[in-house]
Amino acid sequence: MKETFFRTLSWLHTWAGLLVCWVLLLIFFAGSLSYFRHEMSLWAEPELHRGAFQDYQVDQVANQLEKGQSYIETHSAPTTQRWLINFPTDRSPMLSFAWQLPPEKGQRRGKIEQHTALADGSGVITDVRDSRGGDFFYRLHFDLHYMSAITARYIVGACTMFMLIALISGIVIHKRIFKDLFSFRQNKGARSWLDAHNVSSVIALPYHLMITYTGLITLMLMYIPWTVSTAYPEDNQAFLKELNPARQTEKASGIQAEQVRLSQLLPQVQAEWGDAPIKQVIVSYPKDQNSQVTFYQNTGKEVTDESSILVFNGVTGELKYASPHEVSGTVATYDTMMSLHTARFAAPLLRILFFFCGLLGCAMVASGTLMWAIRLRQKQQKAIDKGEKASRGLRLVEGLNFMFILGLPLGAAAFFYANRLLPVDFATRSAWEVHCFFIALAAMGIWAFFGRSRRHWQLALMIIGALYCALPVLNAFTSPSHFIDNIRSQQWALVGFDIVALLLGSAMLFASTRLSAVVKTLQKPSRKNTATAEKVIRKQPDPSYANELASSSPLEEAKS
């Protein structure tokens, strides 16, 4: 405890944020991209960009069910565990037929083979590159990578709790919270970074509180399992079965039976749901006596994350379970929080707003880490001016800032370039797309080891900005449809991807230009007289915020 309550909370706010800041930056970055994971997945499969996109049509469902069942029966292996028919949705406008093979040794789930039907019904696209697409960023923001999911989720949960503490303490210590919303003083060094931190925090404060709290709620039974273990001390599976009886399927009996035709179940589905769109149909253990057919309703436009389903006996066609129309207040509250966190209900404009707020979260964390580095350097500046080296702590903080603030966008660009440049028939191409993301991140860490001055930030921003601006060009050369084609065919998901890439690239190039102007300003005194430059720089610190990014002293920058 400090001498005052305000100082205590200020200390708590500082350290609660700083101890996990780089992990939080990764979570915010990947989570922000996850709002468009379906659009990124569409972009990552250029083989489907022409001829496969179609709308959901109620009068074609019966025919599509019959066609899909016949196709899967013909092409799938006898050992197939599940059949899947995916209908077109707003964000995934394709009809596809898939089947899941039994898991191999060491696998939790078997591989899914998926084929996409052409919109005109003339055939099926079978050769599509293997890619994680946007699902990689979705899983990354709570499962991380290269570690077990359980370990990663405990790490993410701990960081999220630190984030919530930092937000609450930040609200208390900001006495002028509404004034900070409109206060941004340019070219004031550390003061500008503090203003940037305040503005990015306050503008999206409701979002930050919501996304942090609901993030903890999503995995609350893993973090606080004692309520379940107390009520069900001997068998947690009994809890899961009671919680969601529809998803507890019987095991395969091994006795063959005639599979019911899916189109014959459609009248019962329409009697329950009317003309509500169907999202997916799954057949568990097809042609087995314990076969089960599950219809999933497309609830994408409702503020819900709970699936509305109908479960039928796969042999007799008898309705076994229907999702209740009314649920308890507890279930409705949890379901709404889950939906708010994932934003699956959100229309495009609302999803863009969520994405923008997520980027503000990245800016909030990044400006906080930069401000920390600035204050550390200010404390050591006199010793550095005398020729002493910066402390290891300062070099570590500046290096991690360079690595994560620049490495995360570079890694995302590397992921998208790998998606298009790796050979289509490469056996482990989806894994190598992910490896490229982390290789780019590690490359920025290595770069930071050799230099982190303004020039290095400028060059890195220039490279990353150019890569993002070139993504639409890459798409035009590696896809059957380019930007203009997508506008003509109204494929707004693909158009939006190119536009966002151009905007992000332009922003990074603009930032690089600002840093370039600062470097040129500092170089001018050195041409006349190095000694004069020393006096000017020591008496009048560089007014630009870029001065605070330098790993070397202003004098060293001027001499170079």
Side-chain angles (χ1 to χ4, degrees):
M1 294 293 292
K2 301 295 182 179
E3 56 271 20
T4 64
F5 178 72
F6 178 83
R7 287 183 177 274
T8 300
L9 283 189
S10 180
W11 174 89
L12 179 64
H13 175 76
T14 300
W15 287 104
L18 294 179
L19 288 176
V20 295
C21 55
W22 296 291
V23 180
L24 286 175
L25 187 58
L26 172 64
I27 294 171
F28 262 104
F29 179 79
S32 300
L33 294 182
S34 298
Y35 289 125
F36 295 99
R37 65 173 175 140
H38 294 293
E39 289 75 11
M40 288 188 289
S41 295
L42 286 179
W43 187 90
E45 297 176 338
E47 294 82 3
L48 305 178
H49 289 184
R50 180 170 292 175
F53 293 173
Q54 57 183 295
D55 296 324
Y56 182 87
Q57 301 178 47
V58 176
D59 58 347
Q60 293 296 319
V61 172
N63 180 49
Q64 291 170 343
L65 283 173
E66 187 65 33
K67 183 178 179 180
Q69 184 171 357
S70 300
Y71 183 87
I72 295 173
E73 286 178 333
T74 303
H75 294 84
S76 64
T79 57
T80 296
Q81 288 190 334
R82 293 197 305 168
W83 296 347
L84 303 93
I85 299 177
N86 302 303
F87 288 93
T89 63
D90 291 339
R91 300 183 64 191
S92 183
M94 294 174 291
L95 173 68
S96 64
F97 313 132
W99 54 91
Q100 186 176 33
L101 302 174
E104 297 178 1
K105 187 177 181 180
Q107 287 184 333
R108 184 180 176 187
R109 298 183 181 90
K111 181 181 179 181
I112 294 179
E113 295 283 348
Q114 181 167 303
H115 297 170
T116 303
L118 290 169
D120 58 8
S122 60
V124 175
I125 302 173
T126 59
D127 295 327
V128 180
R129 67 189 62 200
D130 183 24
S131 174
R132 294 280 299 277
D135 289 338
F136 162 67
F137 296 101
Y138 171 71
R139 304 294 301 189
L140 178 66
H141 97 280
F142 63 91
D143 274 357
L144 305 181
H145 206 70
Y146 302 123
M147 66 178 66
S148 68
I150 296 297
T151 302
R153 293 179 188 186
Y154 275 117
I155 293 173
V156 170
C159 294
T160 305
M161 181 58 72
F162 273 88
M163 176 70 181
L164 186 60
I165 293 172
L167 285 172
I168 295 173
S169 57
I171 293 172
V172 175
I173 66 176
H174 280 81
K175 300 177 180 178
R176 304 178 304 169
I177 189 169
F178 293 106
K179 185 176 181 180
D180 288 339
L181 177 63
F182 304 99
S183 298
F184 181 74
R185 286 154 283 193
Q186 295 183 357
N187 303 327
K188 297 295 182 181
R191 181 73 247 184
S192 296
W193 283 111
L194 179 59
D195 287 345
H197 182 70
N198 291 337
V199 169
S200 59
S201 302
V202 175
I203 286 179
L205 181 59
Y207 169 85
H208 296 328
L209 289 170
M210 179 275 294
I211 207 69
T212 305
Y213 181 72
T214 55
L216 288 170
I217 292 296
T218 56
L219 298 172
M220 65 179 183
L221 291 181
M222 192 184 86
Y223 301 139
I224 311 176
W226 304 288
T227 53
V228 176
S229 59
T230 301
Y232 300 84
E234 298 180 356
D235 186 11
N236 286 345
Q237 290 300 319
F239 164 74
L240 295 175
K241 187 173 183 179
E242 187 175 336
L243 178 68
N244 197 341
R247 296 188 182 180
Q248 304 302 315
T249 60
E250 299 180 21
K251 294 183 179 180
S253 65
I255 302 173
Q256 286 194 350
E258 186 68 24
Q259 184 69 41
V260 67
R261 303 308 297 179
L262 300 180
S263 57
Q264 296 176 4
L265 303 177
L266 193 57
Q268 297 184 65
V269 175
Q270 293 174 338
E272 292 283 340
W273 292 345
D275 290 334
I278 300 170
K279 179 180 180 180
Q280 187 182 54
V281 178
I282 296 179
V283 180
S284 302
Y285 306 117
K287 297 186 178 182
D288 186 89
Q289 189 173 2
N290 290 339
S291 175
Q292 180 174 287
V293 180
T294 306
F295 282 75
Y296 290 81
Q297 186 181 130
N298 183 5
T299 58
K301 294 183 179 180
E302 300 177 11
V303 185
T304 178
D305 204 58
E306 183 67 24
S307 299
S308 181
I309 66 176
L310 296 173
V311 181
F312 297 89
N313 185 296
V315 177
T316 65
E318 177 189 359
L319 180 62
K320 297 172 58 178
Y321 176 85
S323 295
H325 296 290
E326 295 183 2
V327 296
S328 66
T330 303
V331 172
T333 301
Y334 175 78
D335 182 35
T336 301
M337 288 188 177
M338 285 285 292
S339 184
L340 284 172
H341 188 83
T342 58
R344 290 173 185 165
F345 68 93
L349 288 178
L350 183 56
R351 203 175 302 115
I352 291 173
L353 177 61
F354 272 52
F355 175 71
F356 176 70
C357 290
L359 293 184
L360 285 177
C362 295
M364 173 183 65
V365 177
S367 57
T369 62
L370 289 170
M371 192 165 52
W372 186 22
I374 290 169
R375 289 176 176 174
L376 285 177
R377 178 165 287 277
Q378 287 175 340
K379 292 179 180 179
Q380 302 178 28
Q381 193 61 50
K382 291 183 179 180
I384 293 173
D385 289 341
K386 294 178 181 179
E388 297 182 14
K389 289 185 177 181
S391 67
R392 291 182 180 179
L394 175 58
R395 296 200 301 270
L396 177 64
V397 170
E398 290 182 336
L400 288 173
N401 284 347
F402 190 91
M403 176 181 177
F404 280 89
I405 295 175
L406 297 175
L408 288 173
L410 178 63
F415 178 89
F416 294 125
Y417 274 85
N419 169 262
R420 294 304 179 85
L421 300 180
L422 288 175
V424 176
D425 57 352
F426 188 33
T428 56
R429 73 179 320 278
S430 64
W432 272 100
E433 287 178 357
V434 176
H435 294 333
C436 287
F437 174 89
F438 288 101
I439 289 172
L441 183 63
M444 297 307 293
I446 296 172
W447 187 345
F449 179 79
F450 292 100
R452 305 172 300 279
S453 68
R454 280 182 292 269
R455 284 205 186 106
H456 292 283
W457 280 80
Q458 173 202 351
L459 180 58
L461 285 168
M462 187 182 301
I463 292 172
I464 299 169
L467 287 174
Y468 273 93
C469 288
L471 273 175
V473 179
L474 175 69
N475 179 62
F477 281 99
T478 57
S479 170
S481 60
H482 52 73
F483 183 77
I484 303 300
D485 290 336
N486 292 329
I487 293 178
R488 291 172 180 170
S489 58
Q490 298 183 356
Q491 303 303 332
W492 303 120
L494 302 178
V495 172
F497 185 99
D498 287 348
I499 291 175
V500 171
L502 287 172
L503 289 175
L504 292 176
S506 299
M508 293 176 191
L509 290 176
F510 173 76
S512 174
T513 302
R514 286 293 303 269
L515 290 179
S516 176
V518 172
V519 171
K520 290 180 180 178
T521 302
L522 285 173
Q523 285 178 335
K524 290 180 180 179
S526 62
R527 295 175 185 173
K528 296 180 179 180
N529 191 307
T530 302
T532 304
E534 291 181 21
K535 295 179 181 178
V536 171
I537 292 172
R538 288 179 180 177
K539 290 181 180 180
Q540 299 178 355
D542 184 359
S544 172
Y545 64 88
N547 179 54
E548 310 294 352
L549 292 176
S551 64
S552 56
S553 68
L555 174 61
E556 292 171 338
E557 191 68 33
K559 288 182 178 180
S560 63

